[in-house]
Structure formats: structure tokens, C-alpha cells
Amino acid sequence: AAGMPSAAPSVSVVVPMRNATPWLPSLLAALVHDWDTGFELVVVDDNSQDGSPDLIRQLCDHWPADRWQLVKGSGQGVSAARNKGIQASRAAVIAFLDADDRPFPGRLSKPLEHLARNPHLSHVHGGWWRCNAQGELQQLVRPWDEGAGFSWQQFMEHKAVLPSAWTVRRSALLQVGGFNPALRHSEDVDLILRLAAAGHQGDWIHEPLVRYRIHSGNASGRLDPQLKGLLKVINHHLNTLPDSQVTWAKEQRYSTATWAVWQAWEAGNSSLALQLLKGAVESCPYPLVRRPVHLIEAMHRSSKRVGSPFDRGQLLASSFWRQAESMLLQR
């Protein structure tokens, strides 16, 4: 009947965007593969200056009015934008998707089926392909192969999350207050840890759900605040542990820091890598003699994980390594 509200959608796809015109046509073309799920698209425009809102209106113009909505964000960053999308959404399940990533067919249907079969679960997460700026597949990421999981402790040990491959019940998000709008980086890590601390259970969908695009817009310039932001979030959560777990907490702090050191080194930013290492040494749980070997092993493991070549000889011959080694061996 006219004026009657339409049935609630099966899933709300929350897409925060800022200056996303290059990616939107392929994003929407890919989403249409999951049309039969009955999703609604909730796009939150976070202060775009490139005509992104007009492009969304144009691309969705022929869609039924109840299948999409464009929400004006506050310009306060991705956490606040996703929260706006959650508030505006009408479905009991939220699938996050970043505007520059590209979903595979089944991105929505597979999580919906998994949640329907497992009502005790609050959230599910798929694998993903890392891609270059052109969207060419580079490496398949399967965190479950490394033992990554969703209990507080399991997640702290692996920290495997990509919002574009993550689907969460709306009730769970509202219970923990959504994303922390004060965080510009690692807001996803923080949210999963809060969900786990509140007793919400998650599970893996053992296949890739999206292409995660790595390009200049989401990489190097933001590396310093990204890595420091992650370390800050991890420290904040580890500080909630009782004294009886101080040794494990120290190991987690140090392993996160050494991963950040590798990230900076891999990106060619040796001075940031050394800065991060200097901050990490005081929480190093290993004896002096073991420290250099441990760092080499950690860097090798991190390179292998993303399919990046690791040249041990080149590392050991670098001025970065000379400074790092003397830092590690100081009493």
C-alpha cells in the first residue's frame, strides 16, 4: 500500500567515503552481484570535495528508493562516519565496505548464511586479496591459517581485521557503542577487542570476500600516525590486564612493536623504524643475546606473511641494522 514502510533489508552495507569518485563505479557494479540478498546501501559522505555524492546519486538513480541512502557525515573521520552509517541503517546485520575496496560475489550472502546458521555469533570475517592500485591481485590473506581468532587473547596475538571483509550484528555494535570516534587509526582493532571483552563471539569465513586495494592514498604518508595509533590502542587494552598477566602483556607489546618496525622498514622509512624500536626496547621480554636474532626472525615472518621477498644479507649490511643492533644490545 502507498506510504507503507518497506520490509527491513537483510543487511545494511555501510560505506564511508571521502573523495572516492575513482572507485565508486566498480564498487557498485560489484555489489550488484549480491542484489538478491535484499541489501540496503548506506553511503556516508565524509566531506568529499570531488563530487562523490553526485556520482552516488547518479549511479543509484535507477535503484528502488528503499535500496540506498546517502547520509551526510560530520567530516570527523572514518570512525564517526561508520557510526553515522550504523545509526542510519535499517537491517539487523551490518556489512562494512570501504569505498576503494571491491567485493567479490558472495561478499554479503556468505556472511548472512553463516550468521543465520550460527545465532550465537555476533560477527563473521572473511579473507581478502591484497591488490595494487589497479586492482590486480597480489596476495591472498588467510589469517585463520596462522591461528588468528576472535577471543580477546587470540585477537591480541594476531590483530587480523579488515573492515571490508567484516560483518557484524547491529545489536552487538550498539551494545559496545560502535567505533571510537576519537580514533583516526586502528579503530577496527579497538572495536574487535571491545566486542571480545564484552563476550561477543566471532568466526572466520574461509574464503576471500574482497579485494583490498593498496594505493598511495591509504599508505605511506599516513604510516607514522597509523603505526603509532596501533601501538597506542594495543597499550590501552593491555593496560587493563591484571598483574598476573604482565609477562604475556610485555610479549604482546613487543611483538606489535616489532611488526610496526618491520612495516616502517619495508616502506623505506628507516628513521621511523628506529624510532619505534627505541620505544619498544624497554618492554622487550628477551635476553640481550636473543634480541637481534628475534628481530630478524620477526621481520622475516612479517615479509613472508605478505608475500614480500626478504633479503637477510641486505638487512644485515644496512645502516638501519647497525643502529638497531646497538640499540637492542644496550643494557
Side-chain angles (χ1 to χ4, degrees):
M4 284 286 283
S6 55
S10 60
V11 54
S12 295
V13 184
V14 171
V15 179
M17 71 171 183
R18 181 180 289 175
N19 301 335
T21 50
W23 325 116
L24 292 173
S26 63
L27 173 81
L28 266 64
L31 256 186
V32 168
H33 287 293
D34 264 352
W35 187 260
D36 292 344
T37 59
F39 69 83
E40 81 164 334
L41 175 66
V42 184
V43 180
V44 185
D45 177 43
D46 198 43
N47 231 356
S48 293
Q49 306 297 316
D50 70 340
S52 290
D54 290 336
L55 182 57
I56 281 287
R57 288 185 195 100
Q58 192 186 322
L59 292 168
C60 296
D61 186 46
H62 62 291
W63 289 19
D66 63 349
R67 294 298 297 265
W68 70 284
Q69 49 173 316
L70 178 61
V71 178
K72 190 160 171 45
S74 55
Q76 291 178 305
V78 73
S79 296
R82 289 201 193 106
N83 287 346
K84 278 232 163 185
I86 294 164
Q87 284 156 16
S89 65
R90 297 186 299 125
V93 174
I94 310 278
F96 296 109
L97 202 51
D98 286 348
D100 53 351
D101 296 335
R102 191 169 175 187
F104 289 123
R107 162 64 186 98
L108 303 179
S109 57
K110 286 164 185 170
L112 282 172
E113 286 159 14
H114 203 80
L115 286 169
R117 281 197 308 269
N118 299 280
H120 67 287
L121 292 176
S122 292
H123 57 123
V124 289
H125 203 302
W128 62 93
W129 274 96
R130 291 165 62 91
C131 299
N132 62 16
Q134 289 71 47
E136 295 160 347
L137 305 176
Q138 287 181 312
Q139 192 231 351
L140 177 58
V141 182
R142 298 163 48 93
W144 53 88
D145 284 347
E146 297 166 26
F150 296 97
S151 74
W152 196 91
Q153 187 164 344
Q154 283 174 325
F155 186 80
M156 184 59 86
E157 286 175 353
H158 290 275
K159 296 175 277 293
V161 56
L162 180 73
S164 290
W166 192 24
T167 307
V168 192
R169 294 193 199 273
R170 190 173 189 268
S171 56
L173 291 166
L174 293 178
Q175 195 209 321
V176 300
F179 291 92
N180 179 350
L183 295 176
R184 292 299 177 107
H185 302 286
S186 296
E187 72 293 330
D188 45 6
V189 171
D190 171 72
L191 179 52
I192 282 204
L193 286 168
R194 285 189 286 116
L195 284 167
H200 290 284
Q201 292 181 50
D203 198 12
W204 290 110
I205 290 169
H206 289 207
E207 51 191 298
L209 296 183
V210 291
R211 295 169 188 245
Y212 168 52
R213 202 188 299 262
I214 295 165
H215 54 85
S216 58
N218 64 8
S220 53
R222 304 215 305 256
L223 193 65
D224 185 313
Q226 263 175 357
L227 296 177
K228 288 174 181 170
L230 172 66
L231 294 172
K232 194 176 171 182
V233 164
I234 293 304
N235 269 329
H236 168 75
H237 285 278
L238 288 171
N239 286 341
T240 65
L241 288 175
D243 291 348
S244 59
Q245 287 178 272
V246 71
T247 307
W248 181 81
K250 229 176 177 184
E251 282 169 14
Q252 298 318 307
R253 262 191 197 94
Y254 190 68
S255 72
T256 309
T258 52
W259 176 84
V261 168
W262 166 79
Q263 272 276 35
W265 176 77
E266 174 85 351
N269 193 336
S270 292
S271 64
L272 176 59
L274 289 166
Q275 193 188 342
L276 294 167
L277 185 62
K278 189 178 181 182
V281 169
E282 62 197 48
S283 64
C284 181
Y286 304 106
L288 283 181
V289 65
R290 175 94 184 87
R291 288 176 183 187
V293 177
H294 175 271
L295 184 59
I296 294 167
E297 286 170 353
M299 291 173 83
H300 184 206
R301 250 195 327 272
S302 296
S303 293
K304 197 174 164 190
R305 194 175 286 147
V306 299
S308 180
F310 180 77
D311 188 332
R312 188 187 172 117
Q314 189 189 356
L315 172 68
L316 296 181
S318 67
S319 70
F320 160 77
W321 182 254
R322 282 196 298 281
Q323 294 172 79
E325 193 176 30
S326 77
M327 212 181 273
L328 289 166
L329 296 175
Q330 269 173 8
R331 290 200 175 277

